[in-house]
Amino acid sequence: QVQLVESGGGLVQPGGSLRLSCAASGTIFSISNMAWYRQAPGKQRELVAQVTSGKITKYADSVQGRFTISSDNAQNTVALHMNSPKPEDTAVYYCYAIVKMRYDGPSYQFWGQGTQVTVSS
């Protein structure tokens, strides 16, 4: 099995900065994609940013230019650097990974437990 453990959530003021981290552990042969999703109360879970093992990144329009996703393939970690957050960024943020546990096996999707981010003055 694979576990994703997030850290770094909390309260941040608008215009401040916050860094979320996620570490994957367990039976991992390779990770092809890691991402951050978020879900605000009453809304659907949405993609915030993703990065492939080849370092190709994709961002939601709402965070483009403010958030940066980075990853360490050797450490199986991903981080989300949140700059100039806005109140509408308030949500539970979830780490996500697509993992192969064996070289000849299929890929599986895994989720972290989520970490609350609240943007408020």
Side-chain angles (χ1 to χ4, degrees):
Q1 268 293 355
V2 174
Q3 297 80 40
L4 302 180
V5 179
E6 302 115 333
S7 61
L11 176 65
V12 60
Q13 292 188 343
S17 63
L18 193 68
R19 183 178 185 271
L20 305 182
S21 299
C22 173
S25 62
T27 306
I28 299 172
F29 173 75
S30 65
I31 299 178
S32 60
N33 185 309
M34 297 191 82
W36 290 94
Y37 283 75
R38 67 186 181 188
Q39 187 167 20
K43 295 188 176 181
Q44 288 189 332
R45 190 172 297 189
E46 63 176 358
L47 174 69
V48 177
Q50 68 179 28
V51 58
T52 69
S53 57
K55 304 297 184 181
I56 297 173
T57 59
K58 176 182 176 180
Y59 294 92
D61 290 343
S62 59
V63 306
Q64 181 77 46
R66 297 188 297 119
F67 292 6
T68 302
I69 190 169
S70 61
S71 64
D72 185 326
N73 294 343
Q75 299 294 323
N76 294 326
T77 59
V78 64
L80 184 69
H81 305 261
M82 305 171 61
N83 293 319
S84 298
K86 304 174 182 179
E88 50 264 42
D89 294 318
T90 296
V92 177
Y93 283 70
Y94 296 91
C95 181
Y96 166 89
I98 299 175
V99 180
K100 290 190 71 171
M101 292 187 284
R102 300 195 321 265
Y103 76 97
D104 60 346
S107 295
Y108 296 94
Q109 301 178 52
F110 292 94
W111 292 90
Q113 80 286 356
T115 184
Q116 176 70 45
V117 172
T118 302
V119 184
S120 175
S121 56

